[in-house]
Amino acid sequence: MSRLIRAVIDTAALRANFDRIRTLAAGRRVIAVVKANAYGHGDATVARALAAADAFGVARLDEGVALREAGVTRPIVLLEGIVTREQLAEAAAHRLELVVHEPGQLALLEAWRGAHRFALWLKLDTGMHRLGFPAAEAAAARDRLAALAVPAAQLRLMTHFARADERDSPETARQIASFEAAAAPLGLETSLANSAGLFGWPVAGGDWVRPGLALYGVSPFVGESAASLGLAPVMTLTTTVIATRAVARGECVGYGGLWRAARDSRIAVLAAGYADGLLRGLENGTPVVIRGQRAPLVGRVSMDMIVADVTDLPPVEVGMPAELWGGALPVAEIAAHGGTLAYELLCAVSPRVERITT
Ligand SMILES: Cc1ncc(COP(=O)(O)O)c(C=O)c1O
């Protein structure tokens, strides 16, 4: 039975975005970042559609195992690495590559007695100050990893940008310089750029890039459209009108009476709420598209419903579709109405939403 709310995943757009990224990567290999269920798009679906990727990036062990169980055979990198010996053994069993970012992980690898030889990514902290070894410790950490009989080609170096989405921040150039200084004497393959690094900082270089958001057709730069970067939206989130009614001037709608009709109005009730992943904090005036026209949300987002003021639209009837974001409404624009970024909206799309792949 088809559900009232659906996320349609356009794999042709996904592949076109990947091709755009390939071109921009100019020979660098591409790790397609599919963590967090491919930013809400369905990780197995995305990995299957992007079979041309050189590798996939996930955050956690369970995400990597799920991809293997879904039949993905390409290299998979655990961007947070592992935390325990048991996790290390499971990562070995599933041939997962590990990011090594703190001394405890080095010690676990040194104690590893299994036959599997891990492919490893030594992570350097060049300014994010979250994960990674200080650049000054890079050579010592590399020596310890090299002593584990990791084939040289399977030992690589990476870092992560903190502010690459700010085109005028000097921080990214500083991070690149600090990474290059640490990496040069080590002679390993490197990876620096996320989506913003790839589109905004061609000087970032390296041998591998790690785009996530851009794959899904979203611009990493606030105020710059995806289309201007040559990207097309992959997810269209559509729901259904479940009721319409007249609201007299002066009457309130929804919890807390947040919106009061300033004129006699017609409203449409839509099957979408925070249980589907919408932000409760979406403000009044956030657009939805019904019958090809924008209508503003009115009242609070509740668990299962939102309400749109359709007074200025042609007649709206029960059963009609309403787009919440996608081709007609950039998800980044909706995110701005909730004081957040597209990342959060996409990742929040809940299991109650039917995923349809085209
Ligand atoms: C280490 C790492 N690399 C790459 C990415 C992809 O970033 P983006 O989605 O901004 O391209 C992420 C995502 O947060 C990450 O944590």
Side-chain angles (χ1 to χ4, degrees), residues 98-311:
L98 303 178
V99 168
V100 181
H101 57 75
E102 60 93 38
Q105 295 178 326
L106 273 178
L108 283 170
L109 284 162
E110 284 169 339
W112 172 247
R113 295 290 169 263
H116 179 72
R117 289 285 153 259
F118 288 96
L120 300 173
W121 296 78
L122 177 60
K123 184 163 188 171
L124 301 187
D125 174 21
T126 54
M128 178 72 104
H129 299 322
R130 222 172 40 173
L131 303 182
F133 291 86
E137 294 173 21
R142 188 279 315 262
D143 289 348
R144 284 177 67 181
L145 291 176
L148 301 174
V150 178
Q154 302 269 60
L155 180 55
R156 304 183 177 104
L157 216 51
M158 66 178 282
T159 194
H160 192 44
F161 296 139
R163 302 179 66 171
D165 55 323
E166 299 170 44
R167 285 190 187 267
D168 51 5
S169 165
E171 176 60 10
T172 304
R174 199 204 53 71
Q175 281 195 267
I176 295 168
S178 140
F179 182 77
E180 280 177 352
L186 304 184
L188 302 175
E189 286 188 2
T190 59
S191 173
L192 297 87
N194 55 359
S195 297
L198 177 62
F199 281 83
W201 302 89
V203 292
D207 303 289
W208 296 73
V209 294
R210 307 186 310 272
L213 194 68
L215 286 172
Y216 308 108
V218 182
S219 164
F221 307 108
V222 172
E224 271 179 66
S225 73
S228 73
L229 301 178
L231 300 170
V234 174
M235 181 193 292
T236 296
L237 186 64
T238 305
T239 191
T240 309
V241 176
I242 59 167
T244 63
R245 63 185 300 140
V247 177
R249 179 168 170 256
E251 285 180 332
C252 293
V253 170
Y255 288 117
L258 192 67
W259 181 77
R260 184 184 298 276
R263 57 178 175 169
D264 289 344
S265 305
R266 279 211 72 77
I267 59 166
V269 182
L270 313 178
Y274 56 77
D276 301 295
L278 288 197
L279 293 182
R280 185 170 173 278
L282 281 182
E283 63 189 1
N284 276 235
T286 303
V288 299
V289 168
I290 307 177
R291 300 199 66 172
Q293 293 188 33
R294 288 180 173 222
L297 286 192
V298 294
R300 269 222 197 295
V301 172
S302 53
M303 186 181 291
D304 313 299
M305 284 175 259
I306 50 176
V307 176
D309 177 358
V310 293
T311 316

